[in-house]
């Protein structure tokens, strides 16, 4: 398998000697910056997949099982609001955030928000079991939506990394590699992320 690699990839000595339109072996494309970019994207995608699998389950499960017991249409409103808010905010503010903070800080922030997001699940569960679904619950859900929007901005780093590669063949190959890695692990991530919900089975009795 061969592809065209731009001269700008040149942290590898073998690639520095290649011309812009000269095909090279696929293994020569896998230099450190490319591997790092693929690893970053895959790591964020796996955490995102786990969150996407966990959130609807948490919202739907009854209070006695550690969830919030929301109706399906309420869950749809919450997830739909997240999608709309994320799309609008990224279209309007993502370039500004990158100019102010830089791509690296935007990416680190997007990864760091997973900590408070996952921490809010047990806090909301304990609060709902003691006091029911109240204002704190909705504030926490709104916070999760806002933090997930910041998390989505971390994907922009991969898109900006692709801008350094000036040949469509290289860009297409990297996208296929990333999606192949993510798809291969997606099923396992969905199963493992939902498995902790089964630990509370005695509460159904």
């Amino acid at each position: 398998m061969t592809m065209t690699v731009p001269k700008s990839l040149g942290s590898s000595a073998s690639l520095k000697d290649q011309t812009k339109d000269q095909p090279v072996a696929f293994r020569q494309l896998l230099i450190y910056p490319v591997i790092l970019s693929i690893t970053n994207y895959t790591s964020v995608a796996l955490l995102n997949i786990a969150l996407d699998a966990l959130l609807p389950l948490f919202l739907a499960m009854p209070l006695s099982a550690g969830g919030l017991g929301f109706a399906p249409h309420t869950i749809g409103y919450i997830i739909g609001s997240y999608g709309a808010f994320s799309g609008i905010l990224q279209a309007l503010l993502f370039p500004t955030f990158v100019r102010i903070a830089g791509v690296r800080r935007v990416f680190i922030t997007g990864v760091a928000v997973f900590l408070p997001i996952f921490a809010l699940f047990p806090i909301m569960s304990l609060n709902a079991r003691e006091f029911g679904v109240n204002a704190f619950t909705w504030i926490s859900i709104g916070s999760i939506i806002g933090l997930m929007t910041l998390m989505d901005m971390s994907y922009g780093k991969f898109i900006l990394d692709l801008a350094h590669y000036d040949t469509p063949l290289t860009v297409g190959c990297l996208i296929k590699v990333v999606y192949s890695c993510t798809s291969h692990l997606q099923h396992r991530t969905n199963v493992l992320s939902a498995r902790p919900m089964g630990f509370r089975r005695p509460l159904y009795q």
Side-chain angles (χ1 to χ4, degrees):
M1 180 178 181
T2 59
M3 62 192 63
T4 306
V5 178
K7 293 175 67 176
S8 58
L9 277 177
S11 66
S12 172
S14 61
L15 290 179
K16 286 182 179 180
D17 299 331
Q18 303 291 338
T19 62
K20 179 178 178 180
D21 298 322
Q22 182 178 355
V24 297
F26 173 71
R27 62 180 178 273
Q28 292 182 267
L29 182 64
L30 296 181
I31 58 177
Y32 176 76
V34 175
I35 295 176
L36 181 62
S37 181
I38 293 174
T39 304
N40 288 340
Y41 183 94
T42 305
S43 301
V44 174
L46 292 181
L47 290 172
N48 192 8
I49 292 169
L51 179 59
D52 290 343
L54 183 62
L55 181 59
L57 289 176
F58 176 75
L59 296 176
M61 293 183 70
L63 294 175
S64 60
L68 297 181
F70 286 163
H73 67 274
T74 303
I75 299 174
Y77 290 144
I78 293 173
I79 296 177
S81 299
Y82 154 64
F85 183 72
S86 177
I88 294 173
L89 189 65
Q90 290 194 68
L92 297 178
L93 298 181
F94 176 73
T96 303
F97 287 166
V98 171
R99 283 195 299 267
I100 295 175
V103 177
R104 183 174 181 272
R105 291 182 179 177
V106 170
F107 176 78
I108 293 175
T109 302
V111 175
V113 298
F114 280 107
L115 293 176
I117 287 176
F118 287 117
L120 281 172
F121 284 102
I123 294 174
M124 286 192 294
S125 177
L126 293 174
N127 174 78
R129 292 185 65 186
E130 292 292 332
F131 308 106
V133 177
N134 53 17
F136 176 81
T137 304
W138 290 106
I139 292 174
S140 299
I141 292 174
S143 300
I144 289 177
I145 292 176
L147 292 173
M148 289 176 68
T149 300
L150 293 177
M151 175 270 298
D152 286 338
M153 291 188 180
S154 61
Y155 288 109
K157 180 182 184 301
F158 179 73
I159 302 300
L160 294 176
D161 287 344
L162 292 180
H164 295 288
Y165 310 132
D166 52 2
T167 55
L169 188 59
T170 302
V171 173
C173 179
L174 293 179
I175 292 176
K176 289 181 180 179
V177 170
V178 166
Y179 285 139
S180 296
C181 295
T182 304
S183 299
H184 179 71
L185 298 175
Q186 181 174 3
H187 174 69
R188 295 172 177 81
T189 304
N190 285 332
V191 173
L192 292 175
S193 60
R195 186 174 296 274
M197 290 296 184
F199 295 158
R200 304 187 66 90
R201 188 179 303 171
L203 293 176
Y204 284 107
Q205 301 176 355

